[in-house]
Amino acid sequence: MSGDHTHNDSQIESGSRVNDAHKHKDKHKDKEHRHKDHKKDKDRERSKYSNSEHKDSEKKHRDKDREKMKHKDGSVERHKDKEKRKEEKIRSLDGKPKKEKENGFASPPRIKSEPDNDSFYPSPKHEKSLKRERDDDDSEFKPKKIKTENDKKAKKRKQEDEEDIKPKKKTKDKKGEVADGKKKAKKEPEEKWKWWEEERYTDGVKWKFLEHKGPVFAPPYEPLPSNIKFYYDEKPMKLSEKAEEVATFFAKMLDHEYTTKDIFRKNFFKDWRKEMTSEEKAKITDLGKCNFTEMSDYFKAQSEAKKQMSKEEKQKIKEENERLLQEYGFCVMDNHKERIANFRIEPPGLFRGRGDHPKMGMLKRRIRPEDIIINCSKDSKHPKPPPGTKWKEVRHDNKVTWLVSWTENIQGSIKYIMLNPSSRIKGEKDWQKYETARRLKKCVDRIRSQYRDDWKSKEMRIRQRSVALYFIDKLALRAGNEKEEGETADTVGCCSLRVEHIKLYPEKDGQEFVVEFDFLGKDSIRYYNKVPVEKRVFKNLQLFMENKQPEDDLFDRLNTSILNKHLQELMDGLTAKVFRTYNASITLQQQLKELTSPEENIPAKILSYNRANRAVAILCNHQRAPPKTFEKSMQNLQTKIDAKKDQLADAKRELKSAKADAKVRRDEKSKKAVESKKKAVQRIEEQLMKLEVQATDREENKQIALGTSKLNYLDPRISVAWCKKWGIPVEKIYNKTQREKFAWAIDMADEDFEF
DNA sequence: GGTAATACTTAGTATACCACGG
DNA sequence: CCGTGGTATACTAAGTATTACC
């Protein structure tokens, strides 16, 4: 396997590499920026992850980290700097589910399982029969061969679009079956609309009719009462309204650690000064001399007072919110009332990016009607801007799904108001996503064998592409788009990995060809993993790293656009992220099969489900900060466990004496007593076990977030099928919101569903 | 062919809410 | 009835991918 390829490798090196380093102008440029950036980095302070609050255990982890890094380091200076920075900001992961982490994930290593894939998976034929006619081919789905029923409905949709929407119904509605449900609650448009039984739009049209009330703006600023003062240089100072408002943003964050960070303070102060009058600007020149504590205390008191409000007052607020929701929280899209996800405009405040963000502390400005673009249908009742104001624009673009948009001032990106996940428009897309992943399942073997062949390619770009794809597939890494330097925190994904993010060990911990990954991914969450890889991959990585600086790109001949173009050729609709979806879902399905024991009771089965879910979360590296109350709640649980243990001891003692008693007396009654004591012991043992299992479960979940994978990566039909198969109420797995989002899956998946 | 803009999904965390035991 | 703690929801940042543009 090896010899000749080593040869091959070196050929390539000499061939393409030399030019490589400088061929890509932009990449090169990038690097220079990055160097500069290092200096900046130095003054950057620790990120949220060094948070003081998760004290003990957290610190321990950190220390471990540090050791590890020392251990592995010993190189370049710059690197050290970086490492130091990393140490500080990184949220340590290891120390806990180590076994799982180290070999990637608990689930069977994918590559290894390749050979038996065929036996494991159902045949393609079977697959096909499961598919509904409107399945995947999504984009180029042709409306033709639809069941007549669908046909009618499709027609109906068209008709109705042309008419005026809501006033009518229940007349000659073709959906007679549903009609009466519609009637009873006039607000609820046809109880539960099964959009998944209807035909989808083709050719990029997203809707035919769209009407909504526009956004809800942030409440205007309310100036502070005059007795609440701001002090500059020990002296009280009355601020102009604008300056005061921005000051309150800072005051509200005062006990947050980040108000002590230089970058945060610098950015804040700069933007604050922009809001000041010229007199204020002249006077206030040093943030260090600003005293916001009175303001801060005032807000604390306010929120305290809010908590203490009477029930009636709270009720009133609740009702007002409900009213707002009813008025602005819904839209009509194609004849159906749909819930809007975020109808409130983001209020002004100080920007806090995640991780080590260069723009933290900047002022996120207030959005006015003049900033807002409204999207709705021409023939709808357009939302009115607040009195005396105008929208920036009203447009009628039915090729997009958003209702409202505006441009945000921190990154200059566009923000949108869109529909809830329970809406047709989101649901269809979600469904389609899983269908694409299922199509990948059918050809993943082919793709895998191809990229393995490509490891031997004589073209550098192809080798890089194939190794990157291997990582994306095996480790579920994100694609890794390039990002603008200095605009965001320094994070990477697969294609943007740098040499400094991996370490190669020909041999480590008894395993050959180990790659150690250590980088910050999305949301500055650390990815740390040690993975044994194929020799060829290892050799390739050595090749890619040769003659490079730590801050150089590992895959200098690759980016996400190249990769996705390639993937597109392998399978229609295939992109890098499909692998994550596919691997997450297939892992869940497989783990469920493996972990569910038929004889177990429902709680035990649910535990198995959670374990399967957790395997996926670990695979996808979905982490969370340990809940603030974690230690305490663990303690509570432990107390319960201890109490249960005592109880058990008591019960056992009683059993013993009952037995002794029975031995002496030998009568029915004492025998019965023994039996009942025995049962009691059993029951208590069971309860104890449950508690202990719960404790384990919680401990294992300390830093792992299950929600993200549940919501975004796991084909809900797998879970629904599992529930049906084992008689688990679906409510045990999905809460109300989740059931709404996955209504399509709950409705259509039966217990034989195979992903 | 590369870059910027756009649209939409995925992400972790702050906070609201609600059930429950004292 | 109240506080507590645990879950659900709100929020919005940060990704991915496609499209528009030059």
Side-chain angles (χ1 to χ4, degrees):
Chain A
M1 214 203 212
S2 45
D4 42 343
H5 291 294
T6 322
H7 177 62
N8 230 345
D9 287 351
S10 48
Q11 262 186 338
I12 294 198
E13 272 170 61
S14 44
S16 38
R17 165 73 57 48
V18 184
N19 323 341
D20 269 15
H22 299 287
K23 198 169 262 168
H24 286 304
K25 264 192 295 213
D26 313 296
K27 292 223 173 192
H28 187 55
K29 209 168 33 179
D30 266 10
K31 280 169 213 157
E32 286 179 343
H33 281 298
R34 215 168 268 134
H35 283 298
K36 262 186 265 160
D37 218 36
H38 285 306
K39 274 176 220 117
K40 262 196 285 175
D41 284 342
K42 277 195 201 159
D43 356 304
R44 281 189 204 160
E45 291 160 61
R46 292 168 286 140
S47 90
K48 57 179 175 182
Y49 303 127
S50 58
N51 244 328
S52 43
E53 65 212 46
H54 349 106
K55 27 210 148 191
D56 272 327
S57 59
E58 173 78 352
K59 212 176 293 158
K60 247 180 275 158
H61 293 321
R62 247 198 335 260
D63 290 344
K64 246 187 209 169
D65 252 4
R66 204 163 291 147
E67 253 178 272
K68 192 170 301 146
M69 296 198 172
K70 253 190 275 168
H71 184 263
K72 72 183 188 186
D73 194 317
S75 54
V76 206
E77 281 237 346
R78 191 189 298 105
H79 200 168
K80 263 192 194 146
D81 257 3
K82 222 170 179 162
E83 296 274 282
K84 206 199 300 165
R85 192 169 35 110
K86 220 183 274 168
E87 270 174 54
E88 290 173 333
K89 73 178 163 193
I90 271 163
R91 174 200 292 174
S92 124
L93 211 219
D94 32 359
K96 341 137 307 227
K98 202 120 185 203
K99 312 141 258 169
E100 287 167 331
K101 266 278 121 170
E102 282 178 3
N103 46 24
F105 30 86
S107 51
R110 232 162 252 110
I111 291 303
K112 239 178 34 202
S113 67
E114 265 180 10
D116 24 280
N117 270 354
D118 285 23
S119 52
F120 179 79
Y121 299 139
S123 74
K125 263 172 265 151
H126 181 164
E127 269 310 291
K128 204 159 266 164
S129 67
L130 279 173
K131 274 175 59 174
R132 300 166 135 267
E133 65 275 359
R134 70 218 259 301
D135 255 3
D136 31 51
D137 323 307
D138 10 278
S139 41
E140 60 273 67
F141 172 75
K142 314 280 189 322
K144 21 165 202 234
K145 55 217 154 181
I146 290 141
K147 288 193 232 120
T148 53
E149 208 206 347
N150 276 352
D151 244 323
K152 278 189 217 146
K153 282 180 179 163
K155 234 176 266 160
K156 180 173 141 270
R157 186 194 266 180
K158 249 171 256 157
Q159 277 173 19
E160 289 176 355
D161 289 338
E162 272 127 44
E163 299 164 40
D164 203 18
I165 12 48
K166 49 187 108 166
K168 60 160 172 200
K169 316 287 51 123
K170 73 196 139 197
T171 37
K172 51 271 158 179
D173 206 322
K174 276 171 192 132
K175 283 190 208 156
E177 332 90 82
V178 206
D180 45 350
K182 204 183 315 187
K183 215 182 200 151
K184 63 168 189 217
K186 57 191 173 172
K187 261 198 281 193
E188 251 70 69
E190 50 237 56
E191 255 326 331
K192 295 265 156 68
W193 172 38
K194 298 191 177 182
W195 51 258
W196 50 93
E197 291 177 350
E198 293 189 24
E199 186 187 343
R200 284 188 292 195
Y201 285 119
T202 54
D203 60 25
V205 169
K206 302 292 169 55
W207 45 262
K208 290 275 173 59
F209 181 84
L210 172 61
E211 179 170 279
H212 59 91
K213 291 301 225 9
V216 172
F217 288 93
Y221 177 65
E222 285 183 36
L224 293 169
S226 53
N227 61 323
I228 306 301
K229 295 197 180 63
F230 162 76
Y231 297 88
Y232 187 74
D233 210 6
E234 315 286 304
K235 292 181 282 291
M237 177 175 175
K238 173 76 185 157
L239 295 173
S240 66
E241 182 164 323
K242 276 184 151 191
E244 184 187 276
E245 179 180 11
V246 178
T248 64
F249 298 152
F250 194 84
K252 283 177 182 169
M253 298 177 143
L254 225 47
D255 12 287
H256 243 117
E257 197 206 356
Y258 43 74
T259 53
T260 63
K261 300 188 178 194
D262 281 349
I263 306 253
F264 189 96
R265 295 172 69 87
K266 204 173 115 256
N267 286 334
F268 161 72
F269 197 55
K270 188 169 159 216
D271 281 2
W272 186 27
R273 284 175 56 82
K274 287 184 204 154
E275 302 299 311
M276 292 176 186
T277 62
S278 44
E279 297 82 58
E280 286 166 340
K281 219 183 275 184
K283 196 159 169 200
I284 302 174
T285 54
D286 179 1
L287 182 55
K289 290 182 179 165
C290 295
N291 180 345
F292 303 93
T293 51
E294 213 172 291
M295 293 160 75
S296 170
D297 291 345
Y298 170 71
F299 292 121
K300 276 182 211 153
Q302 289 276 295
S303 67
E304 208 44 49
K306 207 176 154 194
K307 268 187 225 149
Q308 300 306 319
M309 277 189 314
S310 72
K311 257 208 309 272
E312 308 78 64
E313 288 173 301
K314 280 184 184 165
Q315 186 58 28
K316 234 170 97 190
I317 292 175
K318 213 174 147 187
E319 274 162 19
E320 170 61 12
N321 277 335
E322 182 59 24
R323 194 187 62 74
L324 226 58
L325 172 68
Q326 287 307 324
E327 178 164 9
Y328 293 96
F330 295 86
C331 72
V332 177
M333 182 177 276
D334 288 353
N335 206 31
H336 294 274
K337 189 171 166 186
E338 302 255 41
R339 178 88 189 265
I340 295 169
N342 55 323
F343 58 91
R344 286 169 207 273
I345 300 277
E346 298 173 17
L350 302 184
F351 176 81
R352 168 61 180 150
R354 302 183 219 236
D356 220 339
H357 199 114
K359 298 194 171 182
M360 64 170 80
M362 282 176 62
L363 174 64
K364 194 167 107 166
R365 70 169 222 290
R366 178 178 291 274
I367 304 302
R368 308 150 303 156
E370 291 74 16
D371 303 313
I372 296 288
I373 300 173
I374 298 286
N375 192 32
C376 62
S377 34
K378 248 182 225 150
D379 57 341
S380 74
K381 218 167 103 216
H382 300 186
K384 291 197 293 290
T389 66
K390 286 208 286 258
W391 302 125
K392 179 179 182 184
E393 182 190 339
V394 176
R395 68 171 75 155
H396 311 291
D397 182 356
N398 75 349
K399 299 279 208 289
V400 297
T401 68
W402 53 268
L403 322 185
V404 174
S405 77
W406 70 93
T407 301
E408 153 269 349
N409 68 305
I410 303 288
Q411 310 284 357
S413 63
I414 308 170
K415 300 269 192 164
Y416 303 93
I417 290 182
M418 292 185 187
L419 297 193
N420 203 61
S422 63
S423 62
R424 181 213 104 220
I425 208 146
K426 294 292 184 188
E428 275 181 355
K429 200 80 186 293
D430 206 38
W431 179 16
Q432 183 184 309
K433 172 181 76 186
Y434 292 113
E435 288 310 321
T436 306
R438 292 174 84 203
R439 281 192 291 125
L440 172 58
K441 179 185 172 181
K442 293 184 210 152
C443 60
V444 72
D445 289 345
R446 189 191 91 222
I447 290 172
R448 283 171 177 164
S449 67
Q450 170 160 3
Y451 69 60
R452 296 167 69 87
D453 281 347
D454 286 347
W455 293 342
K456 300 175 257 179
S457 167
K458 48 188 182 319
E459 283 190 79
M460 178 59 107
R461 58 177 192 96
I462 291 181
R463 285 198 185 206
Q464 293 195 354
R465 195 180 69 191
S466 62
V467 170
L469 186 50
Y470 169 75
F471 285 162
I472 284 170
D473 183 23
K474 183 183 171 71
L475 305 174
L477 300 190
R478 295 186 185 82
N481 284 324
E482 49 266 74
K483 330 180 4 180
E484 220 177 319
E485 195 89 21
E487 296 290 300
T488 61
D490 177 17
T491 63
V492 298
C494 186
C495 294
S496 48
L497 279 170
R498 301 194 293 264
V499 169
E500 61 194 330
H501 294 130
I502 67 170
K503 285 193 166 291
L504 303 182
Y505 300 95
E507 192 274 319
K508 186 169 175 90
D509 306 331
Q511 291 175 306
E512 281 193 311
F513 309 123
V514 173
V515 184
E516 183 182 63
F517 292 83
D518 193 347
F519 61 89
L520 297 183
K522 183 178 180 180
D523 295 309
S524 293
I525 296 294
R526 183 188 186 194
Y527 183 91
Y528 179 79
N529 201 357
K530 277 180 271 179
V531 213
V533 300
E534 324 265 321
K535 181 172 186 181
R536 232 167 232 150
V537 171
F538 195 84
K539 293 284 170 198
N540 271 316
L541 289 171
Q542 288 179 324
L543 171 67
F544 304 158
M545 289 164 79
E546 242 165 63
N547 301 322
K548 282 189 192 168
Q549 296 298 305
E551 65 278 7
D552 289 343
D553 287 311
L554 178 63
F555 302 115
D556 52 290
R557 296 298 210 85
L558 183 70
N559 61 37
T560 53
S561 158
I562 294 170
L563 178 63
N564 280 336
K565 244 169 230 152
H566 171 64
L567 292 176
Q568 193 59 238
E569 284 163 14
L570 298 180
M571 185 194 101
D572 182 47
L574 186 61
T575 63
K577 86 187 187 87
V578 178
F579 281 89
R580 249 167 102 82
T581 311
Y582 161 71
N583 280 313
S585 285
I586 202 74
T587 300
L588 178 77
Q589 178 166 289
Q590 195 180 306
Q591 289 284 299
L592 282 177
K593 255 182 205 159
E594 215 166 278
L595 299 174
T596 313
S597 334
E599 67 282 358
E600 279 179 334
N601 58 13
I602 291 189
K605 287 209 178 78
I606 291 171
L607 197 77
S608 299
Y609 181 91
N610 286 337
R611 289 224 159 108
N613 193 164
R614 188 149 51 234
V616 175
I618 289 168
L619 171 65
C620 294
N621 200 40
H622 290 143
Q623 299 186 41
R624 61 168 184 178
K628 290 198 187 22
T629 56
F630 185 84
E631 292 304 331
K632 188 152 58 149
S633 87
M634 272 324 262
Q635 262 171 21
N636 290 160
L637 202 52
Q638 193 55 49
T639 315
K640 271 193 196 167
I641 289 173
D642 292 344
K644 199 50 87 179
K645 278 182 179 161
D646 290 347
Q647 199 187 338
L648 181 63
D650 288 348
K652 277 185 172 164
R653 223 174 296 127
E654 280 180 41
L655 173 61
K656 216 172 181 178
S657 75
K659 270 183 180 164
D661 195 41
K663 213 166 186 176
V664 180
R665 299 226 224 154
R666 299 184 173 281
D667 63 352
E668 269 314 297
K669 200 176 156 200
S670 50
K671 256 189 213 161
K672 278 241 172 77
V674 170
E675 280 314 302
S676 78
K677 298 282 181 208
K678 229 180 227 169
K679 283 227 177 87
V681 169
Q682 258 171 24
R683 204 184 54 236
I684 294 168
E685 270 173 344
E686 219 166 87
Q687 289 168 340
L688 176 61
M689 204 154 68
K690 218 159 154 187
L691 283 174
E692 279 174 336
V693 161
Q694 196 189 341
T696 317
D697 197 40
R698 197 179 295 179
E699 182 67 44
E700 284 175 5
N701 245 13
K702 183 177 181 182
Q703 288 178 282
I704 298 173
L706 300 187
T708 304
S709 49
K710 204 177 195 176
L711 237 47
N712 299 301
Y713 288 102
L714 302 175
D715 188 329
R717 291 168 297 183
I718 298 170
S719 302
V720 171
W722 181 84
C723 284
K724 288 188 175 157
K725 177 163 182 191
W726 301 108
I728 314 280
V730 78
E731 295 78 28
K732 300 274 186 194
I733 298 300
Y734 291 133
N735 68 30
K736 183 163 146 295
T737 316
Q738 296 168 154
R739 290 197 301 278
E740 278 166 17
K741 168 168 179 173
F742 297 134
W744 59 274
I746 294 170
D747 184 59
M748 72 170 80
D750 59 23
E751 69 170 272
D752 318 311
F753 174 82
E754 278 272 349
F755 175 75

